[in-house]
Amino acid sequence: QKRKVISSFCFCFVCFALPRQCFRALCCKGPPPPRPEYDLVCIGLSGSGKTTLLSQLCSESPENIVSTTGFSIKAVPFQNAILNVKELGGADNIRKYWSRYYQGSQGVIFVLDSASSEDDLETARNELHSALQHPQLCTLPFLILANHQDKPAARSVQEV
């Protein structure tokens, strides 16, 4: 006698695949590949906007921002990478310690207030030149951000 073999097919109603294939697609994929991480240092004089910049990049509320005393570290997530940014306070008594935090940096963000006084702009220029010549930073990429361009007293890129 011949036996009839009845096979039943079950499909996933979400992706219309066989249940076994659907389960593998959902569960056996594994974790996504890790995003590369880069360590940056963010420097500039007090009031230049370093904390506000990082808060905006992290989608944090710009309210209640206080000037950084010492340093802070923020992880800034992007789709393809994570930037670990060490923000260093810009007060006179803290700037002399900046170089202690340079080790391991892979890039530099220098923020300056484009609407500041001539004296503050000269101080920022001197700090930037000092950072550009520092042995741990001189080979790294620099992003120089002329902040506060929305203020009436802001200087143009050429003036900075």
Side-chain angles (χ1 to χ4, degrees):
Q1 273 190 5
K2 291 186 177 180
R3 292 189 186 185
K4 281 187 175 181
V5 177
I6 300 174
S7 57
S8 61
F9 290 97
C10 297
F11 291 97
C12 172
F13 291 107
V14 176
C15 64
F16 299 106
L18 294 174
R20 189 174 190 193
Q21 291 170 336
C22 179
F23 180 76
R24 280 195 179 143
L26 291 175
C27 300
C28 300
K29 223 172 168 180
R35 292 183 283 181
E37 295 189 25
Y38 301 98
D39 296 328
L40 305 179
V41 64
C42 182
I43 55 178
L45 302 186
S46 281
S48 60
K50 300 178 299 293
T51 306
T52 304
L53 168 70
L54 293 176
S55 293
Q56 291 290 322
L57 289 174
C58 291
S59 301
E60 296 175 353
S61 171
E63 297 174 17
N64 305 324
I65 291 180
V66 232
S67 190
T68 302
T69 305
F71 74 98
S72 72
I73 300 175
K74 286 199 184 279
V76 183
F78 288 98
Q79 185 175 359
N80 297 324
I82 297 172
L83 303 180
N84 297 313
V85 183
K86 277 187 272 188
E87 177 201 351
L88 308 182
D92 291 342
N93 60 341
I94 295 174
R95 288 196 303 262
K96 59 186 172 189
Y97 299 109
W98 280 359
S99 61
R100 296 180 183 201
Y101 297 92
Y102 292 165
Q103 187 172 2
S105 295
Q106 296 170 290
V108 180
I109 302 170
F110 189 90
V111 182
L112 64 92
D113 180 357
S114 63
S116 65
S117 69
E118 284 295 329
D119 288 343
D120 284 346
L121 196 59
E122 184 63 29
T123 303
R125 185 179 293 118
N126 292 335
E127 293 296 343
L128 174 59
H129 283 272
S130 177
L132 286 166
Q133 295 171 358
H134 193 278
Q136 291 177 321
L137 302 182
C138 64
T139 60
L140 300 180
F142 269 71
L143 167 66
I144 301 169
L145 178 67
N147 204 8
H148 300 145
Q149 289 292 308
D150 56 330
K151 292 185 178 178
R155 292 168 183 81
S156 68
V157 173
Q158 292 79 16
E159 292 173 306
V160 170

